[in-house]
Amino acid sequence: MTRRTKQREAILDALADAGRPLTPIEMQDAAESASPGISQSTVYRTIKLLVEAGEAVPVPVPGEPDRYEHASAAEHHHHHFKCDACGKVFDLEGCSGSMKNMLPEGFTLRDHEIFLYGDCPACAGA
Amino acid sequence: MTRRTKQREAILDALADAGRPLTPIEMQDAAESASPGISQSTVYRTIKLLVEAGEAVPVPVPGEPDRYEHASAAEHHHHHFKCDACGKVFDLEGCSGSMKNMLPEGFTLRDHEIFLYGDCPACAGA
DNA sequence: CTAGTTGCAAAGCATTTGCCTGTGG
DNA sequence: CCACAGGCAAATGCTTTGCAACTAG
């Protein structure tokens, strides 16, 4: 039912190698060398499959299309950083703690998402 | 150059009255009674104008289209809560503090965004 | 073999833009 | 008056889907 094809390997490898969340376009570019001519439909379909299979995790980015990261990155609670200059999203370790003190009366808390913005080392240096 | 029309008043009033960030669709619905037949183009064009004029502020929601809130709500630093059940976004007071401890070596911090998820009082009660 | 996969092109959505009519000042 | 605004519809940009050809197992 889940067949092993070079397109799927290319996409999963791209995610694993990147070490950071990728957009569908970035995945397609990264997969292009391992599987030339790979189509966008395949990229999107494969993303959906990988997410359902738990091998990839969607990373919602405020105001932008979702990115996706390899499941191994999602094993621990973490957040993300987006570079103002190059637009890349990076993983951040840790979490500043509970958000409960921000919650008004009557609301229940299930999860939270934190995004930091600034410059990544490569761009800050330039 | 900025003409006062009933469509623009309807949209600005909708934002002011809502007291929480609205999607373009929600704005159109809310403006419908004050300005029947208002078109989507007008809603989007007006949003853009209001944002440029500083009367409305975009609220980026992870994985979803932007919402917008009235400028008065953005005068102080705050974050947002999204209800899992009804999908509405609410303003939250305060901020749990600095995020600098999450930042790896070499990154610079400009801003941050926090989103909490759970149930709002209306939905949690039901 | 043959059901799962792929590529292409068309279809969907949300948002933007062009164009011509309408109207605020 | 007449330049700014509004409504409609076509155009975008991103993502999904239908379909016929292809291929892994």
Side-chain angles (χ1 to χ4, degrees):
Chain A
M1 176 177 152
T2 296
R3 200 172 283 179
R4 154 178 293 271
T5 65
K6 66 173 184 298
Q7 288 89 340
R8 291 192 182 168
E9 287 202 332
I11 290 175
L12 199 46
D13 284 353
L15 275 185
D17 293 347
R20 60 181 185 81
L22 298 180
T23 62
I25 308 283
E26 287 175 321
M27 282 185 235
Q28 187 177 15
D29 289 346
E32 177 67 28
S33 56
S35 178
I38 188 170
S39 70
Q40 287 204 35
S41 350
T42 299
V43 173
Y44 282 108
R45 274 190 284 233
T46 304
I47 289 171
K48 184 179 268 185
L49 281 176
L50 292 177
V51 169
E52 284 170 359
E55 300 189 68
V57 179
V59 176
V61 182
E64 291 185 36
D66 279 2
R67 294 167 190 242
Y68 300 85
E69 64 187 350
H70 192 265
S72 62
E75 283 164 4
H76 57 288
H77 181 72
H78 69 287
H79 293 297
H80 300 95
F81 176 97
K82 176 161 184 235
C83 177
D84 292 331
C86 66
K88 284 179 186 163
V89 172
F90 301 87
D91 285 342
L92 296 177
E93 294 305 313
C95 175
S96 59
S98 171
M99 303 288 136
K100 278 184 189 150
N101 54 326
M102 297 172 57
L103 214 60
E105 195 68 30
F107 287 79
T108 65
L109 185 59
R110 192 203 85 233
D111 196 10
H112 68 271
E113 195 72 55
I114 301 179
F115 255 85
L116 304 190
Y117 298 88
D119 290 307
C120 71
C123 295
Chain B
M1 177 177 150
T2 296
R3 201 173 282 178
R4 154 176 295 270
T5 65
K6 67 172 182 297
Q7 286 90 341
R8 292 193 181 168
E9 286 201 333
I11 291 176
L12 200 46
D13 284 352
L15 275 185
D17 293 347
R20 60 181 184 81
L22 298 180
T23 62
I25 308 283
E26 287 175 321
M27 281 185 237
Q28 187 177 15
D29 289 346
E32 177 67 29
S33 56
S35 178
I38 187 170
S39 70
Q40 288 204 34
S41 348
T42 299
V43 174
Y44 282 109
R45 274 191 281 235
T46 304
I47 289 171
K48 185 179 268 186
L49 280 176
L50 291 177
V51 169
E52 285 170 359
E55 300 189 69
V57 179
V59 176
V61 182
E64 291 185 35
D66 279 2
R67 294 166 190 242
Y68 300 84
E69 65 187 350
H70 191 265
S72 62
E75 283 164 4
H76 56 289
H77 181 72
H78 69 286
H79 294 296
H80 300 95
F81 176 97
K82 176 162 183 233
C83 177
D84 292 330
C86 66
K88 284 180 186 163
V89 171
F90 301 87
D91 286 342
L92 296 177
E93 294 304 313
C95 175
S96 58
S98 171
M99 304 288 136
K100 279 186 187 148
N101 54 327
M102 297 171 58
L103 215 60
E105 195 69 28
F107 286 78
T108 65
L109 185 59
R110 191 203 86 232
D111 196 10
H112 69 270
E113 195 72 54
I114 300 179
F115 255 86
L116 304 190
Y117 298 88
D119 290 308
C120 72
C123 295

